[in-house]
Each structure stands twice: as structure tokens, then as C-alpha cells.
Amino acid sequence: MGTPIDRAHLRDFITRTESMVSPKDVGKLYQRAEMLAKLPIPLQQWIVDRAGGDAEIGFVVEPYCFFLAHEIVDEAAATALLPPDYELAPSAIFEGTAPRYCGILGAFNVHTSVFWGSRVELYVIARNTRTGMLSWIICDYESNTISYDPGQGFSGATTSRSVITTSHRGEVIVDVHGAERPNRLTCVADLEGATMQPLDQPLWIEGNLSVDYGGRLMEPDSAPFGLVFDPGEMERALRVPLDAVTIEANTFGASFLDPEPFESACFPYAQHFLTTSFPEESAIRDRAGLQAAVAASIDAE
């Protein structure tokens, strides 16, 4: 299991991660990314391959990020979105929930060393047949800030509306519309009856060590990337009762997902990650490796 990270060292890791994010630098990068987005994809890839990038960047998901899990009802359509060397794998958000083939929607505000804004991402949960690792496959997204993915390169904002916020009544409010695609997620989750419950650890620990791109975002030769984080940030989340979630519209994954979610989760605290500017495969495979990487990051400061 590795040695748990104590409170003082965790605060050091959080402080370091947050301090790596500069609004001034992010502002400069936005204009540069929009310029690169005008170049042909092969040229963008050539630049990325030679640019390298920072060894580490700070990646902070702000409090109240929100997730909906939907069962896959068309396995062939979902499988067609996966990159090579992946197969669908049954999973669930919370410990004790019956695993099933699923797609997960994540809505969150984020500030990082390279972009700052809000995103809705659609993931298909799969297993990498080469490494055996459970993986989050990002198959679609909409964002109000710059993005980079191997299949489409750099892009500017893709939304006509992007609202992910909370109310004083204890609600999470999501209203995100794609500007160029028919992607939309409009929903409200009332957290009053939500309770902190244990998360499914293979999904949230192992899965975040193996993240890849599928669907329109896929580039077959790209490598999965991993995040460095304190595993404790993935131990529990608020389980939101499904009758407390009102979905006005959800078109993400409509062709292969059950329209009704089977689980809903919300993280009422920030999550702090280190990653790389562009996808880069990680050697970390488990909780112990994560704890060692966090400790090494603190020592290297």
C-alpha cells in the first residue's frame, strides 16, 4: 500500500501544485494556442513532438466537480470509440455498486499551468490490453478555454455557454452547450441529501494513471498519460441521490449510453495533480507508486 502522506507533506504538495499556476502565463499561452490551432494537424504534431514542454505542470480541479455514470447500451458503438489495445471494462463510481460497462460524464472548473476554465468531458471506461490497466478514455469534450488533444491538435473555446457553478442552496448547476457540435449538458444536483462514501479504487486510482483519447480525439500512435496525486483525494466523494439530480438535457454519448444515469458523484474539495504539458506515458502503476512520486515531488522543490 505504501506509506500514507501525512498532513504536513500533503499541504506542501498542494501548495507546490497551486503555485505552479500563473494567470499571467496562462493568458499568454491562450493566444499562442489559438495561433497554433490554425496550422495543419501534422505540423502541430511536429511542433509538439519537438517542443517537449515543462517536465511537470500543476493541474487543479476546483471544488464541486460533478460526475454522472451511464450504462453503455450499445457496446459496438462504444467499442468503436476506443483506441487500439483497449477493450470495454465493467466499472462503477462507488465501492459496492455493481460494475457494468459505462460512460462517465465529468463537469468541472480547472486551473492549470497551461489553461484555465471549465470543461465537460465524456469518458468510456476501458482496459488497456497491453498494460492490463483500467483506463479513462476521453472520447469527447466541450470547454470554454484552450485545449490540446492528439487527434485534433490545439483548439480555442468550443462552447457557446459554459456554466459550472454552485448556489447558496447547496446545488451544483451545470449548463454547457457546444458551439459547433450538438453536445449539451444542462442539469442541477441538490447536495442536501448527499453523503460521503468510498469510491471504487481501481477506477479512481488505477484509471487516473492510464488516461487516453478516443473517438474524434484519437491519434492511434499516442500514448496514455498518467496523473500524480495523493491517493487520499480519490478515497471518498459525495454520493448524490439520483432523485436529487434533475437533467434537463444531456446529448453527450446519446448514441450509445442509457439516458438515465446509475450513479452521481461530487467532490466537495479541490483535487491537485501534477502532469505533463502533452500526453506522456507514466511508469506509475499503483497507490504505492503515487505516494512515492508525491514524496519525490516535495523533496525536489
Side-chain angles (χ1 to χ4, degrees):
M1 293 291 289
T3 303
I5 301 162
D6 64 36
R7 288 176 182 263
H9 283 85
L10 174 58
R11 288 194 293 269
D12 289 342
F13 178 75
I14 288 172
T15 300
R16 178 169 185 257
T17 304
E18 293 274 6
S19 67
M20 296 171 75
V21 182
S22 163
K24 181 178 179 180
D25 291 343
V26 172
K28 291 178 181 178
L29 286 167
Y30 195 106
Q31 185 176 22
R32 193 181 310 166
E34 286 194 318
M35 292 174 62
L36 288 170
K38 298 176 182 178
L39 300 175
I41 295 296
L43 181 54
Q44 291 186 42
Q45 187 61 55
W46 185 89
I47 293 171
V48 168
D49 290 342
R50 285 152 184 81
D54 298 329
E56 292 179 322
I57 65 169
F59 191 107
V60 182
V61 177
E62 296 172 12
Y64 298 101
C65 62
F66 180 66
F67 293 88
L68 292 167
H70 296 256
E71 187 166 6
I72 290 172
V73 293
D74 187 336
E75 294 180 19
T79 298
L81 298 173
L82 300 179
D85 299 324
Y86 288 91
E87 61 184 13
L88 295 177
S91 189
I93 289 178
F94 288 99
E95 182 183 287
T97 299
R100 64 203 78 184
Y101 293 148
C102 62
I104 296 178
L105 274 172
F108 51 91
N109 293 303
V110 61
H111 56 276
T112 82
S113 302
V114 292
F115 63 87
W116 194 310
S118 59
R119 294 173 69 87
V120 170
E121 296 187 341
L122 171 64
Y123 315 93
V124 171
I125 307 305
R127 189 169 301 281
N128 186 318
T129 58
R130 179 174 56 84
T131 65
M133 296 183 70
L134 198 65
S135 307
W136 293 72
I137 309 300
I138 308 171
C139 292
D140 206 353
Y141 67 84
E142 300 292 347
S143 177
N144 67 356
T145 187
I146 56 173
S147 301
Y148 174 83
D149 59 78
Q152 299 192 135
F154 295 94
S155 65
T158 66
T159 55
S160 60
R161 174 182 292 181
S162 190
V163 177
I164 302 172
T165 191
T166 58
S167 76
H168 73 279
R169 296 179 181 272
E171 302 164 314
V172 176
I173 301 166
V174 180
D175 192 12
V176 176
H177 301 233
E180 301 175 358
R181 290 172 290 274
N183 290 331
R184 179 182 173 187
L185 178 61
T186 301
C187 63
V188 177
D190 186 345
L191 302 183
E192 184 176 357
T195 56
M196 293 293 284
Q197 296 192 19
L199 294 164
D200 180 78
Q201 292 299 278
L203 176 66
W204 292 96
I205 301 295
E206 184 178 311
N208 276 301
L209 297 174
S210 179
V211 183
D212 212 333
Y213 291 92
R216 66 181 180 86
L217 315 176
M218 176 173 52
E219 204 288 313
D221 294 330
S222 69
F225 65 93
L227 306 170
V228 173
F229 56 95
D230 176 7
E233 291 191 339
M234 296 293 185
E235 286 183 354
R236 300 193 306 157
L238 289 170
R239 184 193 285 266
V240 185
L242 292 179
D243 60 7
V245 179
T246 302
I247 300 176
E248 179 182 321
N250 178 18
T251 59
F252 284 88
S255 63
F256 64 95
L257 295 179
D258 187 328
E260 297 298 322
F262 67 90
E263 283 183 302
S264 178
C266 178
F267 288 83
Y269 51 84
Q271 295 169 297
H272 303 85
F273 305 95
L274 296 177
T275 186
T276 52
S277 300
F278 304 107
E280 184 176 304
E281 191 161 9
S282 171
I284 303 172
R285 292 290 183 266
D286 55 23
R287 175 183 289 265
L290 274 175
Q291 291 167 335
V294 170
S297 170
I298 297 168
D299 293 340
E301 188 176 9

